[in-house]
Amino acid sequence: MSDKFDVIVIGAGPGGYVAAIRAAQLGLKTACVEKWVDDKGAPVLGGTCLNVGCIPSKALLESTHQFHKTQHADVHGIQTGDVTMDVKKMVARKDKIVGNLTGGITGLFKANGVTLLQGMGKLLANKQVQVTAADGTVSVYAAENVILASGSVPVEIPPAPLTEGLILDNAGALNIDETPKRLGVIGAGVIGLEMGSVWARLGTEVTVLEAMDEFLAMADADVAKEAAKIFKKQKLDIKLGARCTGTEINGKEITLKYTDAEGAKELVVDKLIVAVGRRPQTQGLLSDDSGVKLDERGFIFVDGQCRTEAPGVYAIGDSVRGPMLAHKASEEGIMVADIIAGHHAQMNYDVIPSIIYTHPELAWVGKTEKELKAEGVAIKVGKFPFAASGRAMAADDTDGFVKMIADEATDRILGVHMVGGIASELIAQAAIAMEFGSTAEDLQLTVFAHPTVSEAVHEAALAVDGHAIHMANRKKR
């Protein structure tokens, strides 16, 4: 095998493996470097998302949602009696799904002719890539182009050092195999809310500490307000302005110390999940003479098409600016592979959906009402509740709404924000519309099937101009 490649990708997460497959599809001789191995020394592909992030967490969320629905099936006239959850079996199902998907990437690499280089990748000068295998063997490969897709790792905090089986990061949280009586979560972001929801559905007393005074500051204010109300009903105890100051382990219990507006407090839990965010995994990725520069937080400097300051070297995903989202990383990988192959490619960073997979789900794309008002943009807003949707009523899933924001002058859709049972699926309709520069009127004139929950998107578009059919319209703003 020649040691020279057209493209070498460092990292086989959702950005890296997609970039490698796309590059190979375009006829480029491609290799992908991945350091992750399982307990048998076999390569593990898919990165954080597939192994300890997006996919396994959704498997647990789905299992516990089905458990919750079964418990409350009497609303449909279904009598179930006592319903129990076999947590170990739930975790085993999650592991099987992960195994199927990671094995699928291995098959896709083979089908597309991507060479897998197992070991720790490091970019050297002149687009040389050093790969250090698990046994310490070092190999160096040359490439015409290199794509850095090293991903991110959880942020750890000194007051709550990770302790096996007790104080956990996102990976450890996915392997809890018994329902804890009391669970603490530090951080009311995506991971904290999703993991908190998993165990709250199984009867765990869940307390979430959020250092910020504002709940879900990154979301539209209406979404955050509605979500807070719903989570309270679901018995998620979310404490804002609560900062962890220390932890003590006493046998199988953890005493969590924190401060809030009232002063110093303590909370005793059986498990503690630290979910305060993630940081780029760039330590050890670059030699001093690689030509690639990092900012003070460890992110790689790139331009709008993911080029670094080193010619022929690109960086994508969690290690560069922008939201740390798997789909953002994948699309950057495709864009970069296309550019390397000589095609014209550009990614629209203004239309990237964000989703929190609680139930109901929270989803949004584009700008919030607060952001647009701060920019001085004159807007008009339409909002439609799922409580007025016949299909949502039939599904007994009426929490939430669809909110659409359009430019007052041009009618162009600037943002769509949702709380709802299948908001993660509906948000794609908004993203497609915005990608094609749709106006609210474009959606008003679109025929939506009846009865569907998608009609809420249609009605929200109508409501932008005070024309919603199935609710009383607000006065136009």
Side-chain angles (χ1 to χ4, degrees), residues 158-161 163 166-167 186 244-258 265-272:
T163 305
L166 292 171
I167 303 179
I186 302 176
C244 174
T245 57
T247 50
E248 289 182 2
I249 296 174
N250 304 297
K252 293 186 178 181
E253 291 185 339
I254 306 145
T255 299
L256 173 59
K257 299 179 181 181
Y258 67 97
K265 294 184 179 179
E266 292 186 353
L267 174 71
V268 178
V269 296
D270 304 302
K271 303 282 185 185
L272 177 62

Side-chain angles (χ1 to χ4, degrees), residues 15-356:
Y17 85 76
V18 168
I21 290 172
R22 179 67 161 187
Q25 288 174 343
L26 293 170
L28 300 170
K29 184 180 179 183
T30 305
C32 187
V33 184
E34 178 53 60
K35 66 179 180 180
W36 203 338
V37 295
D38 62 18
D39 54 5
K40 297 178 181 177
V44 175
L45 306 181
T48 292
C49 178
L50 244 63
N51 292 280
V52 291
C54 321
I55 298 303
S57 63
K58 304 313 165 282
L60 296 182
L61 283 159
E62 183 62 28
S63 293
T64 56
H65 178 54
Q66 293 298 331
F67 174 75
H68 178 79
K69 284 177 64 177
T70 305
Q71 280 185 312
H72 297 85
D74 59 333
V75 72
H76 295 283
I78 302 169
Q79 302 302 313
T80 57
D82 291 336
V83 181
T84 60
M85 170 64 84
D86 184 333
V87 175
K88 287 182 172 60
K89 189 172 182 178
M90 176 182 75
V91 172
R93 173 182 177 272
K94 175 263 295 182
D95 291 339
K96 182 178 180 181
I97 292 169
V98 169
N100 288 343
L101 287 172
T102 56
I105 297 173
T106 300
L108 289 170
F109 273 12
K110 291 179 180 177
N112 288 282
V114 176
T115 300
L116 177 61
L117 303 175
Q118 192 172 330
M120 172 77 77
K122 183 175 185 177
L123 177 66
L124 308 178
N126 302 315
K127 294 176 289 189
Q128 302 282 308
V129 175
Q130 174 183 294
V131 179
T132 304
D135 62 3
T137 303
V138 177
S139 303
V140 177
Y141 302 87
E144 291 294 328
N145 301 274
V146 176
I147 303 174
L148 305 173
S150 55
S152 61
V153 293
V155 171
E156 297 181 24
I157 55 174
L162 301 183
T163 305
E164 187 172 357
L166 292 171
I167 303 179
L168 313 165
D169 60 10
N170 63 290
L174 292 167
N175 291 316
I176 298 174
D177 60 3
E178 291 183 358
T179 303
K181 181 180 178 182
R182 302 158 299 181
L183 173 68
V185 180
I186 302 176
V190 177
I191 295 172
L193 292 173
E194 290 183 355
M195 288 296 94
S197 294
V198 165
W199 297 106
R201 293 170 189 164
L202 299 185
T204 299
E205 297 173 13
V206 179
T207 304
V208 182
L209 305 186
E210 172 54 54
M212 295 181 66
D213 294 321
E214 184 180 357
F215 179 58
L216 287 178
M218 70 282 204
D220 186 84
D222 284 347
V223 167
K225 182 179 179 181
E226 181 76 1
K229 180 179 71 175
I230 292 169
F231 294 152
K232 185 175 181 179
K233 287 196 316 185
Q234 294 176 354
K235 298 183 179 179
L236 278 179
D237 184 7
I238 301 172
K239 299 182 184 297
L240 300 178
R243 186 176 298 276
C244 174
T245 57
T247 50
E248 289 182 2
I249 296 174
N250 304 297
K252 293 186 178 181
E253 291 185 339
I254 306 145
T255 299
L256 173 59
K257 299 179 181 181
Y258 67 97
T259 59
D260 61 15
E262 298 174 353
K265 294 184 179 179
E266 292 186 353
L267 174 71
V268 178
V269 296
D270 304 302
K271 303 282 185 185
L272 177 62
I273 299 173
V274 180
V276 296
R278 300 181 67 82
R279 60 178 177 81
Q281 187 170 250
T282 48
Q283 187 174 3
L285 176 67
L286 308 167
S287 68
D288 292 338
D289 58 355
S290 67
V292 175
K293 294 184 179 180
L294 306 177
D295 69 12
E296 67 280 359
R297 296 183 298 158
F299 286 93
I300 300 171
F301 281 114
V302 292
D303 67 9
Q305 293 180 308
C306 294
R307 296 180 183 87
T308 72
E309 296 187 353
V313 179
Y314 302 78
I316 63 174
D318 288 2
S319 63
V320 304
R321 78 285 176 271
M324 288 185 171
L325 297 170
H327 44 284
K328 176 255 195 184
S330 295
E331 292 306 317
E332 285 179 330
I334 290 172
M335 174 181 70
V336 167
D338 284 355
I339 289 170
I340 290 171
H343 301 301
H344 294 289
Q346 184 65 56
M347 182 171 164
N348 185 357
Y349 285 93
D350 293 331
V351 185
I352 299 177
S354 293
I355 302 163
I356 301 178

Side-chain angles (χ1 to χ4, degrees), residues 404 413 433 438-448 457-458 461:
M404 186 171 295
I413 300 168
S438 291
T439 63
E441 185 183 34
D442 288 327
L443 290 186
Q444 292 169 9
L445 297 173
T446 300
V447 179
F448 284 69
V457 177
H458 188 213

